Amino acid sequence: MIVLANDHGGLILKQPLIEVLNEMDIPFRDIGTNSTESTDYPLWGYKAAQLVASGECERGIVMCGTGIGISLSANKIKGIRCVVCTDCYSAKLSRAHNDTNMLALGGRVVGPDLAKMIVQIWLETPFDGGERHARRVKMIMDIERDQML
Ligand code: RB5
């Protein structure tokens, strides 16, 4: 289950992303907003991140104007590794090397077709799982727990 959340600036990407998820036969939960009225992105980043951190949703895709504010908000929640992507290479490597569990996109930065490609690649790419990358991801999580030696 993928959680989708966005502010007014990210709303433009929602329908294209729903198309990709449907094409890939991946279930999703859209928690809003579905309005163009101005709203605060931290709220949406927080709500989506909570669902991922709790295990209720496997991964999350969040959208705001740039992808920046909503990703910063999501990354404040323990267990979240949220990446802002504007290109397919970063989307792929963020999964393979960093095991990201959330993706952020900017509705005022990437067009719908590029956003769809980024999402497809991000969803299809598994974590590499090799010792080197696993060690580094663990180090990130150790920082979060203040247990970095
Ligand atoms: C809202 O205008 C805008 O600031 C927001 O969508 C996002 O881009 C913030 O990082």
Side-chain angles (χ1 to χ4, degrees):
M1 177 70 69
I2 303 289
V3 56
L4 293 181
N6 56 278
D7 74 357
H8 54 288
L11 182 60
I12 193 165
L13 294 179
K14 178 118 71 194
Q15 277 315 311
L17 299 200
I18 287 177
E19 274 173 37
V20 182
L21 293 168
N22 284 335
E23 279 162 22
M24 295 177 80
D25 213 14
I26 294 177
F28 62 88
R29 181 164 155 193
D30 174 13
I31 62 167
T33 181
N34 284 301
S35 160
T36 52
E37 203 174 309
S38 181
T39 181
D40 299 327
Y41 58 79
L43 179 67
W44 303 103
Y46 172 66
K47 283 183 175 180
Q50 271 192 319
L51 288 171
V52 175
S54 71
E56 260 186 82
C57 292
E58 221 174 293
R59 292 201 230 161
I61 302 175
V62 287
M63 299 147 272
C64 66
T66 57
I68 296 170
I70 205 160
S71 69
L72 291 173
S73 311
N75 275 318
K76 294 292 179 190
I77 300 299
K78 282 192 165 51
I80 297 302
R81 291 179 301 282
C82 182
V83 63
V84 189
C85 281
T86 57
D87 68 281
C88 295
Y89 180 80
S90 301
K92 192 175 178 73
L93 272 287
S94 83
R95 286 288 310 131
H97 290 188
N98 316 114
D99 197 16
T100 50
N101 49 15
M102 291 187 69
L103 169 68
L105 296 163
R108 297 173 187 156
V109 180
V110 295
D113 286 352
L114 177 56
K116 286 167 84 168
M117 287 176 82
I118 290 172
V119 164
Q120 183 166 353
I121 288 168
W122 186 76
L123 288 169
E124 281 173 353
T125 307
F127 178 48
D128 170 296
E131 191 278 329
R132 184 167 48 115
H133 298 307
R135 182 179 71 244
R136 292 169 184 164
V137 172
K138 181 181 174 299
M139 288 172 79
I140 296 173
M141 305 328 282
D142 284 348
I143 296 170
E144 185 175 80
R145 291 190 298 267
D146 206 11
Q147 283 175 359
M148 177 73 105
L149 296 177

